[in-house]
Amino acid sequence: MTRILSAVAWPYANGPRHIGHVAGFGVPSDVFSRYMRMAGHEVLMVSGTDEHGTPILVAADAAGVSAKEFADRNNRVIVEDLVALGLSYDLFTRTTTRNHYAVVQEMFRTVRDNGYMVEQVTQSAISPSTGRTLPDRYIEGTCPICGYQDARGDQCDNCGNQLDPTDLIDPRSKINGETPEFVETTHYFLDLPALADALGKWLDDRAASGTWRPNVIKFSQHILEEIKPRAMTRDIDWGIPVPGWEDQPTKRLYVWFDAVVGYLSASIEWARRTGDPDAWRRWWNDPEALSYYFMGKDNIVFHSQIWPAELLANNGEGDRGGAPGTYGTLNLPTEVVSSEFLTMEGKQFSSSRGVVIYVRDVLERYQPDALRYFISAAGPETQDADFTWAEFVRRTNGELVAGWGNLVNRTATMIAKNFGEIPAPGELEAIDTELLDQIRAGFTAVGDLIGHHRQRAALAEAMRLVGEANTYVTRTEPFKLKAPEQRARLATVLHTLAQAVADLNVMLSPFLPHSANDVDRVLGGAGAIAPMPRLDEVEDLDGGDPYPVITGDYRRGENMAAWESRPVVPGTPVAKPTPVFTKLDDEIVESELARLRGRPTA
């Protein structure tokens, strides 16, 4: 057994999340975490909503509410959507809790006291019309390195280089197009050059492991080549106060400093809520524990450079030395698992341009496992992928319904019609053992692929085995075994099919948790294959406002299947089933495209 931290990117609370977001951080992290729990590992899966920064202020102003009210509203929407999608967080919290404030400020103090936070006078971008600081990501211009015209003030998405707003040619505000003014201000900078050697050694070690996706490790090593100090405070009045600068209320910690510390603060909050306040240390201080960070590719820099640098600074492992703080020596990421981008109908997701479909909208009209299946089978694992309604319908109908759903339905139908219960088998023939052996071997093959973050290949292998089981039905023709002298053979074939379906259901459950419980009930089980998350309303541990969290009971053996073949029990009642998956009408393609274009639908 290994302790595994699943650190899932924190969705930003400036609005509901669309399916491109959950394709990057949500479904991949959940598939991995569910599998690892089933395989016997002790998993801690944490995240929450990221609620600070100027974009929240800008959106709140536009909505006519306070930043806190705006964050509260979107936090609840996001929590409800992620629960409905079945994401099995041990704790999904938020960055506006008092626990988070305390952990972030303590982390800052340690990094500063170890010498890795240095004060520098710099240029800050100000909106001439409002007097408010413009965040780096709200300033666009031409990249001085590659000439890309829509580079941001913190990074060029075309060449991947880190930038400062003052580096941009012809900078402009993304909010209203005006040219920002630059004024002198003092900020704390994370001294990345003093941590460069330690970062380089860590990245070289990660590269030697051969486990990171090539695009992630190459990008991470590339940005290390021109490393420079990075500002970790901002001129803004919405965020976490800077320790030592309490007399400057318009100075706050940079939202990206506070957000990545959230992985630690959420772990600490989880431990406190379990009644064992130090339980988090088993994942953070034990060097044998493993940690996997899930996100989209636009966040790689913060997880392969900024957060590891903060951890090294906390541990006193940079050029300036130092000693670990209150939280002890903290583990660096084992792997940064970054997905590429999901586009929609050939276009980049854009809420402002109406090229978007929110998670909530999909789940209101379609089964959650249909979306999970599409993301797992055709998502942006190692290259950009495109979501189209035609492909969504094709995969749902052609693979989920006609492949897996059909196997489940006809197996249960034949058992219910002929026996009313799972029959006891007679002597197995070669064709029976061949199928069962193939499927049992799938636990190793599929599990190994999931464990190495090759989920598309893992799902393809599981569905290949579904195809083998359907072929077995065609070859054995149980529907023709009607004579009394064939009844023993019929019982053996149907028992073999019941075992195959039960094993495949376990194998598919990390991808399809909702339907896994339904399939188990079809075969007479209790529906205790894949535990589901729940939304709890909780009090702030340190006296702040109440808020919703995602949590759950994911203990193996209680309400979760182990990652192994479990013999079906002869005599288990099986009733005539109803289909587990809903077949989609081809007409929904045009209906959804019309909705996307903003036209009324029937």
Side-chain angles (χ1 to χ4, degrees), residues 30-336:
D30 188 58
V31 171
F32 176 79
S33 299
R34 286 181 178 277
Y35 161 69
M36 284 297 179
R37 291 186 187 113
M38 296 172 74
H41 302 294
E42 196 173 352
V43 175
L44 178 59
M45 179 175 170
V46 294
S47 186
T49 45
D50 176 9
E51 302 180 4
H52 294 128
T54 300
I56 294 285
L57 280 174
V58 171
D61 284 349
V65 297
S66 70
K68 180 65 164 58
E69 289 173 311
F70 187 78
D72 286 346
R73 178 192 306 169
N74 288 316
N75 164 262
R76 184 166 293 277
V77 170
I78 292 169
V79 164
E80 290 174 352
D81 288 355
L82 299 186
V83 168
L85 193 55
L87 304 188
S88 57
Y89 293 99
D90 290 279
L91 183 69
F92 184 94
T93 179
R94 60 194 305 189
T95 58
T96 48
T97 69
R98 293 190 179 183
N99 171 78
H100 179 71
Y101 273 50
V103 174
V104 169
Q105 290 176 325
E106 182 60 28
M107 186 84 172
F108 176 87
R109 290 187 194 96
T110 300
V111 172
R112 181 195 60 197
D113 293 350
N114 278 344
Y116 299 100
M117 284 291 180
V118 293
E119 291 187 44
Q120 289 187 11
V121 175
T122 186
Q123 298 287 311
S124 179
I126 302 294
S127 164
S129 61
T130 67
R132 177 175 284 165
T133 302
L134 286 169
D136 297 348
R137 287 197 168 201
Y138 270 57
I139 304 171
E140 293 181 335
T142 300
C143 176
I145 300 171
C146 71
Y148 181 60
Q149 294 185 351
D150 293 319
R152 298 193 312 260
D154 62 345
Q155 179 177 308
C156 175
D157 284 339
N158 185 57
C159 66
N161 284 288
Q162 293 182 68
L163 301 170
D164 286 324
T166 52
D167 296 330
L168 295 174
I169 300 169
D170 297 326
R172 61 189 181 275
S173 167
K174 190 176 178 180
I175 299 172
N176 55 20
E178 65 186 359
T179 301
E181 296 178 357
F182 291 94
V183 299
E184 283 194 348
T185 185
T186 301
H187 283 297
Y188 273 111
F189 280 67
L190 179 62
D191 191 356
L192 288 169
L195 296 156
D197 287 345
L199 273 171
K201 182 177 182 300
W202 169 69
L203 282 172
D204 289 345
D205 177 65
R206 294 295 84 213
S209 73
T211 58
W212 284 37
R213 291 173 178 168
N215 60 315
V216 180
I217 194 68
K218 289 177 182 177
F219 176 82
S220 302
Q221 292 176 317
H222 170 71
I223 60 177
L224 190 62
E225 294 172 3
E226 297 184 9
I227 200 167
K228 57 185 179 181
R230 186 145 186 172
M232 289 291 121
T233 56
R234 289 290 188 268
D235 293 300
I236 188 175
D237 56 6
W238 171 244
I240 299 178
V242 182
W245 283 358
E246 286 81 6
D247 60 337
Q248 301 184 63
T250 59
K251 297 279 190 185
R252 302 293 169 121
L253 289 171
Y254 178 33
V255 64
W256 265 110
F257 179 88
D258 105 65
V260 290
V261 179
Y263 300 118
L264 175 62
S265 71
S267 302
I268 291 173
E269 181 184 343
W270 166 83
R272 293 178 66 189
R273 292 194 180 280
T274 66
D276 183 1
D278 287 327
W280 64 272
R281 293 187 181 275
R282 299 199 295 269
W283 283 268
W284 286 91
N285 295 151
D286 180 357
E288 298 300 316
L290 304 176
S291 55
Y292 298 87
Y293 289 73
F294 295 85
M295 74 215 63
K297 66 180 177 182
D298 53 335
N299 289 337
I300 294 175
V301 63
F302 299 102
H303 293 83
S304 68
Q305 184 180 96
I306 303 301
W307 179 229
E310 291 173 20
L311 292 167
L312 289 165
N314 171 85
N315 299 345
E317 295 176 345
D319 293 349
R320 299 179 184 274
T326 300
Y327 303 121
T329 299
L330 299 171
N331 292 334
L332 271 68
T334 302
E335 186 169 350
V336 173

